Amino acid sequence: MEIGSRVPTIDMEAAQKVIRQQLVLLLHAHSCQQKEHADECTLPYCMRTKEMLDHIRSCVEGDDCIWDHCLASQQIIAHWKHCSQKKRCSICGPIFVSQITNALNAFSPKSS
C-alpha cells in the first residue's frame, strides 16, 4: 500500500456546491431577518440559520465553538464580504450573477 493512498480525495465541485448552498441560506436568512414577518418564513432551516447569525455576531470561540457550522459559516460570510472577484469566483459567481438577474427582473416592465 502506498503512503498517499489513505488520503481521501476531495471532490472540489461537490465541496463548492455545499458551500454555495450554505451561502445562499445565510444570505436568505440575513435578508429574511430584516423583514417584518421574519418569524413566518417557511424555508427549511431559515429559522435555525437566523439563530446562527445572531450567535455569530457575538461568538469569539473560533475552533472551540460548539454550535454546528459556526466557524464554517463565519468563514463563508467573510469570504462573501471580502471576495474581490465575485463575478468570476467559483463560490460567489453563480450567486452574485443570480442576485443581479433577480434584481434586474424585479425592475423590468411586466408584460400583460
Side-chain angles (χ1 to χ4, degrees):
M1 178 187 290
E2 292 180 33
I3 295 172
S5 65
R6 288 195 217 167
V7 176
T9 57
I10 297 172
D11 181 350
M12 289 303 288
E13 286 185 37
Q16 289 174 349
K17 181 180 178 181
V18 170
I19 293 168
R20 280 192 299 271
Q21 289 171 334
Q22 183 69 14
L23 178 56
V24 167
L25 185 56
L26 289 162
L27 292 170
H28 166 83
H30 175 71
S31 68
C32 191
Q33 278 181 325
Q34 313 306 313
K35 295 179 181 173
E36 187 175 330
H37 301 288
D39 58 338
E40 297 174 10
C41 183
T42 59
L43 184 74
Y45 305 108
C46 180
M47 185 61 71
R48 179 71 176 142
T49 305
K50 288 179 210 173
E51 292 169 358
M52 167 70 69
L53 290 173
D54 288 339
H55 164 77
I56 286 174
R57 285 182 183 95
S58 62
C59 181
V60 293
E61 299 298 320
D63 289 336
D64 297 325
C65 183
I66 61 171
W67 276 64
D68 289 339
H69 313 292
C70 177
L71 183 60
S73 295
Q74 287 182 41
Q75 292 170 338
I76 292 168
I77 292 166
H79 175 84
W80 175 258
K81 284 182 175 180
H82 302 290
C83 183
S84 61
Q85 301 292 321
K86 275 196 173 65
K87 289 181 184 177
R88 292 189 296 241
C89 176
S90 60
I91 300 296
C92 302
I95 298 164
F96 183 73
V97 170
S98 176
Q99 285 184 333
I100 291 173
T101 302
N102 290 341
L104 291 173
N105 288 339
F107 291 106
S108 66
K110 305 283 189 256
S111 57
S112 305

